[in-house]
Amino acid sequence: MIRKWLFRSQLSRKRMFQKRWFLILRTAAILLIAGCTYGILLHYTGIGLVCPVRFVTGLKCPGCGVTHMCLALMRLDFATAFMANPALFLSAPLLMIIFIPYLAGYIRTGSRQMSSWQNTVLWICITFLVLYGIVRNVFSLP
């Protein structure tokens, strides 16, 4: 009886692991397809998305320049990518350092809780981006 229960619980854990792994792969595939489609559309038509913050207020948000940065990174033009959005260009490696262990923990345990160091680094990145958004509008930075 106990042996059957242990086998079922192990099988259930394996299914949940596979389900979480599939969910992440599916989401990544959807985002990759959407990004590639947007990049191709932008490359061939020149039609891109407009920043709603800049459209409404006339001010650049901390994310303005992300499209140009991504296009430059696809060409491996790191100088242009940095000039498009220096704050996000510098924050991206830190965000990846947070994101990868977070996903691994989610796949392994199903928990969506971040550790304290991940939370701290995330808040530092958010603060840095918000301050950059303010400074770029005050001093007319890229």
Side-chain angles (χ1 to χ4, degrees):
M1 179 84 167
I2 293 175
R3 186 175 279 169
K4 280 186 177 181
W5 180 80
L6 285 173
F7 179 72
R8 284 184 190 159
S9 67
Q10 288 174 347
L11 192 59
S12 176
R13 274 190 242 139
K14 186 176 179 181
R15 283 189 193 137
M16 291 305 295
F17 177 84
Q18 290 173 341
K19 186 177 180 179
R20 290 188 291 261
W21 184 246
F22 175 75
L23 178 67
I24 288 173
L25 288 178
R26 184 185 66 189
T27 304
I30 290 169
L31 290 173
L32 183 64
I33 290 169
C36 289
T37 303
Y38 177 64
I40 291 168
L41 179 72
L42 183 65
H43 179 71
Y44 287 108
T45 65
I47 299 171
L49 298 174
V50 177
C51 174
V53 173
R54 192 163 188 188
F55 181 74
V56 172
T57 66
L59 300 172
K60 292 180 181 179
C61 75
C64 280
V66 170
T67 301
H68 295 290
M69 182 181 79
C70 290
L71 291 173
L73 286 174
M74 287 172 26
R75 293 189 309 269
L76 301 177
D77 185 0
F78 297 108
T80 304
F82 178 79
M83 291 307 297
N85 192 323
L88 195 58
F89 184 83
L90 295 173
S91 298
L94 284 175
L95 293 171
M96 292 303 293
I97 289 171
I98 295 169
F99 191 63
I100 291 171
Y102 172 76
L103 283 179
Y106 171 69
I107 291 169
R108 216 174 33 255
T109 64
S111 171
R112 292 186 176 142
Q113 190 72 19
M114 284 187 153
S115 67
S116 61
W117 73 268
Q118 290 170 318
N119 236 347
T120 303
V121 174
L122 182 62
W123 278 108
I124 289 170
C125 288
I126 290 170
T127 304
F128 177 63
L129 289 171
V130 169
L131 289 175
Y132 174 72
I134 294 167
V135 169
R136 84 186 304 188
N137 287 298
V138 171
F139 297 108
S140 298
L141 296 176

